[in-house]
Amino acid sequence: MPAHAQALLPTPRTHLRTTREGYTKFCEMNPDLRVELSAEGEIIFMPPAGGESDFRSFELGFQLRAWAAEDGRGTVFGSSAQFFLPDGSGLSPDAAWISNGALHSVSYEQRQKFPPVCPEFVVEVLSPSDRLKVAKEKMEQWIANGVRLGWLIAGERETVYVYRPSRPPQMRRGILKLAGEGPVKGFVLQLRPIWHGLR
């Protein structure tokens, strides 16, 4: 890990390669930075979410958490959680659901940092600074690492892209409800407040 790593200026992608251990130390030294780790070991700086996208992320997280509390089969995580995935990357979704069995497969110590477990369900919310192409590539990466259902929400477009293993993404536009399936069967996301946003 280069000695100057702590002083790096946030840029969308910095060509600094490191190991998982080095990345964990970097994050501990820079707790105020929002970063992810690529499968190639690059540290990627993430710009903060805008007010609109953060509102949408919080709304979907609130709905998912309320459902999960009643369902009891798993745990919900927000955008500040990060997971080490099989391909070597460390990614943070805007919301994630992990079954109790999968979560308990990792040790208590591992859960305190970046759990080496892939969520079964993830949601990403498009921010103004996000490029749709890059967001779609991240969704494909989630699926390749073991996610069983993923939603990419483009609030300004009132569009959801649904990702499943071994199937092309499905685009749903202008809908007011979206039903979960597979690991989150029974969850229904009410999209009206997400489409409405802060207006």
Side-chain angles (χ1 to χ4, degrees):
M1 186 77 176
H4 65 277
Q6 188 175 6
L8 286 171
L9 294 176
T11 57
R13 183 180 290 266
T14 297
H15 294 286
L16 172 67
R17 295 186 183 277
T18 185
T19 63
R20 281 187 175 182
E21 292 74 17
Y23 175 73
T24 300
K25 291 178 181 178
F26 176 85
C27 292
E28 291 172 349
M29 293 167 61
N30 298 274
D32 296 328
L33 293 181
R34 296 181 69 246
V35 292
E36 290 184 325
L37 182 68
S38 76
E40 295 73 33
E42 288 182 329
I43 294 177
I44 304 169
F45 291 90
M46 312 295 293
E52 192 84 60
S53 57
D54 185 70
F55 171 83
R56 288 174 169 139
S57 296
F58 188 85
E59 173 63 29
L60 79 87
F62 174 79
Q63 292 189 41
L64 182 59
R65 176 69 182 88
W67 169 79
E70 289 191 9
D71 180 74
R73 293 179 295 132
T75 301
V76 174
F77 295 86
S79 60
S80 60
Q82 188 162 124
F83 306 94
F84 279 147
L85 303 180
D87 68 356
S89 62
L91 301 183
S92 298
D94 288 306
W97 180 93
I98 300 180
S99 66
N100 296 328
L103 186 60
H104 294 145
S105 69
V106 299
S107 69
Y108 175 81
E109 290 74 19
Q110 290 173 319
R111 281 180 270 158
Q112 299 306 299
K113 297 183 179 180
F114 303 137
V117 61
C118 184
E120 287 104 316
F121 172 63
V122 299
V123 186
E124 297 278 4
V125 177
L126 208 63
S127 298
S129 60
D130 292 333
R131 289 187 296 149
L132 182 58
K133 179 178 181 293
V134 175
K136 288 181 174 180
E137 290 173 351
K138 185 178 181 182
M139 292 302 299
E140 296 287 359
Q141 186 177 5
W142 278 118
I143 295 296
N145 276 280
V147 166
R148 294 169 53 196
L149 178 68
W151 294 345
L152 172 60
I153 296 178
E156 296 297 322
R157 300 176 173 89
E158 295 191 4
T159 300
V160 181
Y161 301 89
V162 180
Y163 287 78
R164 309 174 182 90
S166 305
R167 295 171 61 180
Q170 178 186 21
M171 184 175 70
R172 306 285 303 278
R173 178 171 290 159
I175 58 175
L176 297 180
K177 296 181 180 180
L178 183 60
E181 57 192 75
V184 290
K185 185 177 181 180
F187 172 56
V188 179
L189 177 64
Q190 303 292 329
L191 286 161
R192 190 185 298 275
I194 293 175
W195 296 159
H196 191 265
L198 294 174
R199 288 172 282 185

